[in-house]
Amino acid sequence: MNNSRLKHAVVASMMLCGLSFVATGSAWAATATATTAKTPATAAVKLPAGVVKGPSVEGITEYRLPNGLKVLLFPDASKPTVTVNVTYLVGSRHENYGETGMAHLLEHMLFKGSPKNRSIPQEFANRGMDFNGTTSFDRTNYYEVFQASPENLKWALDMEADRMVNSFVARKDLDSEMTVVRNEYESGENSPFGVLLKRMESVAYDWHSYGRDTIGNRSDIENVKIDNLQAFYRTYYQPDNAVLLVAGKFDPAQTLAWIGKSFGAIPKPKRALPPFWTVEPTQDGERSFVVRRKGDMQLVVLGYKIPSALQEDSDALSFMSEILGDTPTGRLHKALVETGKAAEVFSFPQTGYAPGLQLIGAVVKAGEPLEPVRDALIAAVEGFAKTPPTAEEMERVRRNVANGIEKSLNDPQKVGVTLSEEIALGDWRLLFLDRDKLPTITAEQVSAAAARYLKRDNRTVGTFIPEDNPLRADIPAAPSVAEVMKDFKGKDSVLTSEVFDPSQDNINARTEIKTIGGLRVALLPKKNRGEAVSVNMSLHWGDEKNLFNTNAVAAAASAMLMRGTDKFTREQLSDAFAKLKISGGPFNFETTGPNLDAALRLAAHVVKDASFPAAEFEQLRQQWLVGIEASRNEPQSLASTEMDLYFNQYPKGDVREAVSVDEQLAQVKALKLEDVVAFHRKYYGANHGEIAVVGDFDKAVISKTIEDVFSGWDSKVSYAPITRVNADKAPIVKMINAPEKENGFYAARLNLDLNVNDPDYPLLDLANYIFGDGGLKSRLMDRIRQKDGLSYGGGTGLQAGEIDRAGRFEVSAIAAPQNLNKLQSAIREELDRAVKEGFTAAELAGAKSGLLQQRIQNRSKDAVVAAGWTRNLYLNRTYSWSKEYEDKLRAATLAQVNAAFRKAVDPAKLTVVVAGDEAKAKK
């Protein structure tokens, strides 16, 4: 039941070309002979070959032709007229990008003729026929109402059959009809309600094509290609996608025979109709918009997403709509119109085959306060469920709807459009089903349905505010690229670079290693394009004891460095970095050779002379608090934090401890600026550290610069490297609830006794690459993405200690909550298979090739080489270690790799933490 179809205002809002035309001319005007004979509605009708009789309800009988056409015959001799109506199951929701308005434009084009009917409007005029076509979201229909006569009926049937598949849909007709349709579009633009309704659709919907108004976009109307229009016509205008209705005074047997000859001659199409799979997601918060145009009234409209007209709540919501919006008995009329707050009110559903909108609004006199009306409207609508309908209200709706359906069925002209809406939903009998359900709908059902959908987070509010001089920003069309480039003259390149060999031997040979003060320094000058230089610096201070209880303070000190110094404000510092072409921070940055001396001096100044402005410190604290809170319910953060806490073995305050979200918040809230400043003054210094410079620079100049800026700047605390030891923890599997999250996260961890110098490390590196670290082509991604389609992304990680033996193997992946169990099972199955069956020779060869090529590519990047040097110097080694490591990768055998993986990875010992919405996981 869709009450909107019984209201003129609603029908006008949902259909285009909804005004009928009465053709005049030399129409057949024989006077019908009065008869008292019974209508042949129930008489046996001889069926043409291949025609199958279907259901019959209250005088309407369905037939189906072999080509898929459905035929509805509704004989009624009470009036000397006949209605022929063809409904095609295609509307604006079937249009593609750039084709908006095409269904409606095609409706116009079908009046332009076919080879056998070159002037359809003239033929209508000659027969005095009342005719039109209408287009909505889900369907398009064409009808003719005419004086009953065999000649008129046969012509109408032959014409409709002919234009179903033989219409010209020609370029010349499109050129002229486009301007007509554009004028219809322009006419709608004059209507405040029409404009507001279009905006409501586009704002309320994110993806579904109900968010595009049937009239379409002006530029699409003006530029649609005839090829697109013809393809749309050939796809949807076919007998298996249409329903023919004949109603009025006619002979059913003869009519069915004519239909069999005219429509039955059309072949059954071989094409398959395109599927329609877009589902609008649940709205997740109230929306609002304003339209400002010249006008003489104000409007406020509320839009709420509601189910399809086929869903069981649709009937109850139709009752709600009538009870709220009827004039003069509706609740809104009494609350807003009779009190003088609004001039008019309205309420109607705009829905169909897919979920739609319940639209409720008010018209307010220009200049009157609009906000009170909007607030009162929202209160009345969203408070409806708290005041269930009265018995009188329910009975009034039942009576009005039943009367409306009865009048539609008694009017041959209306019956075509009325049944077209039900046909678009899939079955014309829905009209009778909904009517018969009227007595069974209860006030409790109406109230419950309203409570489900008339909610704040499901609301979209639109207002139309008349304004004589709106402040619009017209966006000019983009010029062609040729126009933009016509006067451009390129400059000759003055940038040069050398061909650099990224082998480890060459890197070692080209690098000068020296000690400047407490710093180990690696200088690798090379000719670069643009004189680019990369700098990497690592400074060390503190030890396990003196760093106790300093985690938050140390993090804050580091984060505050770029927020101001004793010479520069934060803004000035940003400008200074830009002027020196510095990208990055004070410890790791890129610049150019001519700027390197000044850049190093500025970086040292930032690290040494930070001023820690109080306002910037408070900004940082608030940003941290917001960021930590934002991560509280994120599945990845939940799982990762839980995993870290489970494996944590260090006491509170230890620099290596894992902390919960609440503990992080407490630490940030407890931060004091004076403690941060004191930490910087006491701990920061350059008596322990490494600096690497790679690129276009002068070694002698930069050596002196480093000595100038860092010599004598020492930390006031002792320093010693901090090692880690893995905790011996029993494996667990834990699920964490993450309500209202559409994605979930899987994490697994297995601690390993592993150092980078162990013989097994390169073997496990290869195994890890094969299993999950090789990008899309890995055992893991082949299973969970390519085969099972469970996850967009996942991978594995292998860590080994450099100065200790605290290694680990980790697996992680994302998936929808309902797929997390399948994901967990799939990962376990692949781990078991890898351990049991091992990897293949082809996989090993691919892993070697992939890893070695990645490493070569990385060494071609100056920033990576610089970072490699600082790490190598910290570990008292050169790039020779890297070369030896790659030799081990090349030498690894399949048996060694499989043995190492089986030795290290026991799937039964993995600790697994999964975070996701438990309610969604159960669906």
Side-chain angles (χ1 to χ4, degrees), residues 714-848:
D714 296 340
S715 172
K716 297 178 177 61
V717 297
S718 61
Y719 163 71
I722 298 175
T723 59
R724 290 178 177 270
V725 177
N726 278 335
D728 186 14
K729 303 286 286 189
I732 63 167
V733 176
K734 185 170 185 177
M735 175 70 187
I736 303 174
N737 190 26
E740 293 297 312
K741 295 296 180 181
E742 294 295 327
N743 207 11
F745 190 78
Y746 166 97
R749 173 173 163 178
L750 176 66
N751 281 348
L752 301 177
D753 178 28
L754 188 66
N755 183 271
V756 294
N757 294 307
D758 288 352
D760 277 358
Y761 178 59
L763 304 175
L764 289 173
D765 198 4
L766 289 164
N768 176 60
Y769 189 93
I770 295 170
F771 187 81
D773 199 35
L776 287 179
K777 188 54 185 173
S778 65
R779 284 275 185 101
L780 179 66
M781 291 302 284
D782 278 349
R783 174 64 185 273
I784 67 175
R785 177 166 167 157
Q786 271 72 260
K787 181 183 177 182
D788 293 353
L790 298 172
S791 175
Y792 171 78
T796 59
L798 177 70
Q799 292 185 29
E802 291 179 318
I803 59 174
D804 54 41
R805 303 193 59 77
R808 69 177 67 166
F809 173 70
E810 297 174 305
V811 186
S812 63
I814 60 173
Q818 59 268 30
N819 290 328
L820 284 172
N821 287 334
K822 295 178 182 177
L823 178 75
Q824 185 174 341
S825 297
I827 293 173
R828 177 58 187 267
E829 288 172 10
E830 289 304 314
L831 283 167
D832 288 339
R833 184 167 74 92
V835 170
K836 180 180 179 181
E837 301 175 8
F839 304 115
T840 67
E843 287 176 315
L844 178 58
K848 288 182 179 181

Side-chain angles (χ1 to χ4, degrees), residues 561-562 564-565 568-577 602 606:
L561 294 178
M562 286 294 292
T565 70
F568 299 101
T569 65
R570 184 179 183 182
E571 180 180 349
Q572 291 169 339
L573 195 56
S574 176
D575 289 341
F577 266 60
L602 179 60
V606 168

Side-chain angles (χ1 to χ4, degrees), residues 254-446:
Q254 180 62 73
T255 299
L256 202 55
W258 285 335
I259 292 170
K261 290 182 180 180
S262 56
F263 286 93
I266 302 172
K268 185 174 183 178
K270 296 180 180 180
R271 63 89 184 91
L273 286 168
F276 191 89
W277 55 73
T278 300
V279 176
E280 181 69 15
T282 300
Q283 187 168 318
D284 51 11
E286 67 270 38
R287 305 174 183 183
S288 64
F289 66 95
V290 177
V291 175
R292 296 180 187 272
R293 289 196 177 194
K294 193 172 182 65
D296 301 307
M297 66 176 183
Q298 299 180 103
L299 283 166
V300 57
V301 179
L302 312 180
Y304 296 88
K305 304 275 181 54
I306 57 174
S308 159
L310 291 169
Q311 205 268 348
E312 60 182 357
D313 280 342
S314 179
D315 293 339
L317 289 171
S318 291
F319 270 72
M320 173 276 299
S321 182
E322 290 288 316
I323 292 168
L324 276 175
D326 186 59
T327 299
T329 62
R331 294 184 181 183
L332 294 178
H333 181 84
K334 295 181 182 299
L336 297 176
V337 178
E338 292 183 2
T339 60
K341 294 178 180 178
E344 296 178 44
V345 293
F346 53 87
S347 176
F348 60 88
Q350 181 172 284
T351 188
Y353 183 82
L357 288 174
Q358 175 67 43
L359 298 167
I360 305 167
V363 180
V364 181
K365 182 181 178 182
E368 294 291 323
L370 194 60
E371 290 77 10
V373 178
R374 179 199 61 203
D375 296 344
L377 197 62
I378 292 172
V381 171
E382 296 179 12
F384 179 90
K386 298 176 182 177
T387 54
T390 65
E392 181 183 8
E393 287 174 325
M394 293 293 292
E395 183 54 36
R396 183 183 295 117
V397 175
R398 293 189 185 100
R399 181 175 61 249
N400 291 345
V401 173
N403 289 344
I405 294 174
E406 181 181 348
K407 290 176 181 177
S408 294
L409 292 174
N410 289 338
D411 187 329
Q413 181 173 340
K414 289 182 180 179
V415 72
V417 175
T418 300
L419 285 179
S420 286
E421 303 304 325
E422 311 302 335
I423 289 168
L425 295 177
D427 197 312
W428 57 275
R429 295 173 297 168
L430 287 166
L431 182 71
F432 302 98
L433 174 67
D434 291 339
R435 181 201 61 189
D436 294 346
K437 285 166 59 178
L438 286 172
T440 68
I441 297 171
T442 66
E444 290 74 21
Q445 289 174 321
V446 175

Side-chain angles (χ1 to χ4, degrees), residues 16 95 100-101 185 198 212-218 220-221:
L16 291 175
E95 298 161 346
T100 62
Y185 169 92
K198 280 197 281 189
R212 304 191 302 255
D213 195 75
T214 301
I215 191 65
N217 176 43
R218 184 184 186 116
D220 287 356
I221 296 170

Side-chain angles (χ1 to χ4, degrees), residues 535-541 557-558 561-562 577 584-589 603 606-608 684-685 690-692 710 713 870:
V535 177
N536 189 278
M537 178 170 60
S538 180
L539 301 179
H540 314 291
W541 45 73
S558 176
L561 294 178
M562 286 294 292
F577 266 60
F587 292 99
N588 183 10
F589 62 88
V606 168
V607 175
K608 295 164 62 178
Y684 273 55
E690 301 80 34
I691 295 180
F710 290 117
W713 182 52
T870 56

Side-chain angles (χ1 to χ4, degrees), residues 462-478:
T463 53
F464 180 94
I465 299 176
E467 191 164 311
D468 290 340
N469 297 296
L471 303 176
R472 294 179 185 158
D474 292 326
I475 308 301

